[in-house]
Amino acid sequence: MLRVAVVGSGPSGVYTAQALLEQSRVPDVRVHVLDRLPTPYGLVRYGVAPDHEKIKSLQGSLRSVLEDDRITFVGHVGVGGPGGVSPDRLKELYHAVVYCVGAAADRPLGVPGEELPGSFSATEFVSWYSAHPDAAVDSSALRARSAVVVGVGNVAVDVARILARGAAELRGTDVPPAALDALEASRVREVHVVGRRGPSQARFTTKELRELGALPGARIVVDGAELARDPAYAAAGDRGTPLPAVVRRNLDVLRGWAADPPPAAPDGERRVRLRFFLRPVALLERDGRVAGVRFARTAPDGAGGVQDTGAYEDIEAQLVLRAVGYRGTPLPGLPFDPVSGTVPHLAGRVVRDGKASPGEYVAGWIKRGPTGVIGSNRSCAKETVASLLDDAPLLLGREVPADPLGVLRDQGLLPVEWDGWLSIERAESELGRSLGRGPVKIPDWSGLLDAARGDSR
């Protein structure tokens, strides 16, 4: 029997487990899917916006994999950190270990004032309204009148949409009560979504853009002069000019919102302003908190990039969210490339001291960097599993414990298995019913672990 530990229960981890079950080269495989959290699904649970029900429904297909008798979910088991299990110990307990730990860190802006109160990463904000038990956003930040979101990808559009969406529209989602109350009391009326390059180089999808335009009670505004600075914008008007389809669609949507100059917002109206060709150079301070962002005006450099023009613009903001990308973080006990933010590997095999390390593998963002969509993890996982299966004859020659979970418990760890997760689900359904809502996520460690044990709340 080939015993494999998969570290991480998000899409890359579950697709890795699925690929192991679907292969026929090693007929008898048992997979333990480990996660630091007592809950499965990773970013599908804690990173997808609560109003994106179609994407969140992916939990159903992930669930069907984790319910297979050959797979054991092992939550509440950290790997590589204090109080957890080390990679060396995992190698002793399993024939193979596949690390699918993602890229959890945000890229910093690297500008003065970034650490001021009122400045957060988009991931911190998403974790807060998604009820991640590590979330630490102070809800008083929503007393801001104006917010700046730095970045023009889908995450930036997500957080802007949540800030501009009425709390009543989120009441049917699983947003936790404290976050919902804070969003209901929010004073944010203007949200600036700002990119250093032009609209044709933005990373958001047309679907995300159109969702912004469908927000009730919110106006979407684009500065027509900024659109005109993008050479592709003029080209988009000529249907004979070749442009990527997504760029042409995005520019068509933005053209419908363009105004020059942008109109003033009526009192009480929420407004989302999409800004381009502005590079953040500093966060401004007043009374010990963030009060705005200073931007350098950029312009196309003729080579696909941008250059500073020497002009600057300050945008008032009491809340700043950076959404400029993700980055992998080192896992103690594993090699790490600080330049790429990934674990060095050869076709998924972890590389130590220039050589592949038998029995250690990576898949997902920690393998290839934060690229692709959720479905990209399938082919990535299959490549890694193929390497693991090539190594299987060597790996099976080593004896491992028949009950690795028993060893982990003897070490003092308290795993939450599938029955514990089902107990959490029931507790979240009960919490929702008590509030007159559907299931509502439990946002804290103690509540999750109490629920996993079946303790009354």
Side-chain angles (χ1 to χ4, degrees):
M1 179 185 294
L2 179 66
R3 295 188 179 276
V4 181
V6 173
V7 181
S9 66
S12 63
V14 175
Y15 292 152
T16 297
Q18 184 177 37
L20 283 164
L21 298 188
E22 290 177 345
Q23 57 80 33
S24 58
R25 293 164 61 183
V26 180
D28 197 4
V29 180
R30 295 294 182 272
V31 183
H32 286 181
V33 178
L34 280 60
D35 203 295
R36 183 179 68 89
L37 298 171
T39 57
Y41 310 137
L43 282 178
V44 177
R45 176 175 166 91
Y46 288 119
V48 174
D51 55 350
H52 275 175
E53 291 299 328
K54 184 174 181 180
I55 302 176
K56 289 176 75 68
S57 68
L58 177 62
Q59 291 184 20
S61 62
L62 300 181
R63 181 192 195 101
S64 65
V65 177
L66 293 174
E67 287 180 329
D68 191 286
D69 290 340
R70 294 165 291 175
I71 292 178
T72 302
F73 172 69
V74 187
H76 194 221
V77 172
V79 174
V85 58
S86 70
D88 284 345
R89 186 60 167 148
L90 283 181
K91 284 181 67 176
E92 296 170 355
L93 298 178
Y94 297 91
H95 292 113
V97 184
V98 187
Y99 294 92
C100 306
V101 294
D106 284 83
R107 292 184 180 275
L109 297 175
V111 302
E114 189 169 5
E115 302 306 319
L116 284 168
S119 169
F120 303 95
S121 72
T123 295
E124 290 174 307
F125 189 65
V126 171
S127 294
W128 170 71
Y129 65 63
S130 297
H132 194 293
D134 290 338
V137 171
D138 181 357
S139 61
S140 67
L142 294 183
R143 296 173 187 164
R145 300 180 304 279
S146 175
V148 164
V149 182
V150 181
V152 283
N154 281 348
V155 174
V157 175
D158 274 349
V159 297
R161 191 181 66 256
I162 295 299
L163 284 170
R165 186 181 283 286
E169 301 159 47
L170 295 171
R171 199 168 297 281
T173 72
D174 57 10
V175 172
L180 191 65
D181 290 346
L183 289 167
E184 190 165 29
S186 170
R187 300 176 185 173
V188 175
R189 289 296 176 268
E190 189 140 32
V191 182
H192 305 261
V193 181
V194 188
R196 67 182 179 88
R197 299 194 293 177
S200 66
Q201 296 165 313
R203 297 297 184 91
F204 41 60
T205 61
T206 310
K207 177 178 180 295
E208 292 273 353
L209 271 186
R210 287 173 175 158
E211 285 180 341
L212 270 184
L215 286 174
R219 178 180 297 193
I220 315 302
V221 178
V222 179
D223 189 321
E226 290 176 350
L227 287 185
R229 290 189 180 98
D230 191 328
Y233 181 69
D238 178 3
R239 293 295 164 175
T241 302
L243 283 175
V246 66
V247 170
R248 187 178 295 279
R249 289 195 300 267
N250 285 351
L251 292 175
D252 284 345
V253 174
L254 294 171
R255 181 181 287 107
W257 295 330
D260 188 15
D267 290 344
E269 180 185 72
R270 285 192 173 97
R271 185 165 69 164
V272 178
R273 292 194 61 182
L274 299 174
R275 305 292 310 275
F276 301 98
F277 296 114
L278 292 172
R279 179 178 65 84
V281 295
L283 270 61
L284 309 177
E285 178 268 339
R286 183 184 302 122
D287 299 328
R289 294 184 60 85
V290 66
V293 185
R294 177 159 294 161
F295 291 94
R297 168 64 68 186
T298 65
D301 63 5
V306 293
Q307 59 190 358
D308 288 354
T309 64
Y312 294 87
E313 178 178 340
D314 292 352
I315 297 180
E316 175 193 350
Q318 300 79 38
L319 172 63
V320 176
L321 301 171
R322 66 175 183 272
V324 292
Y326 296 98
R327 185 172 180 79
T329 56
L331 189 69
L334 278 186
F336 186 74
D337 180 353
V339 176
S340 65
T342 61
V343 172
H345 71 93
L346 291 171
R349 296 179 178 92
V350 172
V351 172
R352 292 183 181 270
D353 301 321
K355 298 180 181 179
S357 175
E360 294 186 300
Y361 307 87
V362 285
W365 279 3
I366 199 62
K367 170 187 173 184
R368 68 182 192 275
T371 61
V373 296
I374 289 175
S376 306
N377 291 297
R378 286 189 182 275
S379 57
C380 177
K382 288 180 179 179
E383 179 192 54
T384 295
V385 167
S387 294
L388 189 159
L389 294 173
D390 287 343
D391 300 341
L394 171 65
L395 302 176
L396 285 166
R398 185 170 56 85
E399 289 191 12
V400 298
D403 181 19
L405 290 190
V407 176
L408 293 178
R409 291 190 181 93
D410 290 343
Q411 188 176 319
L413 299 176
L414 299 172
V416 172
E417 296 184 52
W418 194 250
D419 284 347
W421 159 239
L422 296 180
S423 292
I424 291 173
E425 278 194 319
R426 288 192 293 272
E428 293 184 336
S429 292
E430 292 168 6
L431 174 60
R433 279 194 296 271
S434 73
L435 298 169
R437 300 168 57 190
V440 172
K441 282 189 281 193
I442 297 170
D444 58 280
W445 276 101
S446 60
L448 288 169
L449 295 177
D450 285 348
R453 290 189 293 263
D455 294 352
S456 60
R457 292 180 53 79

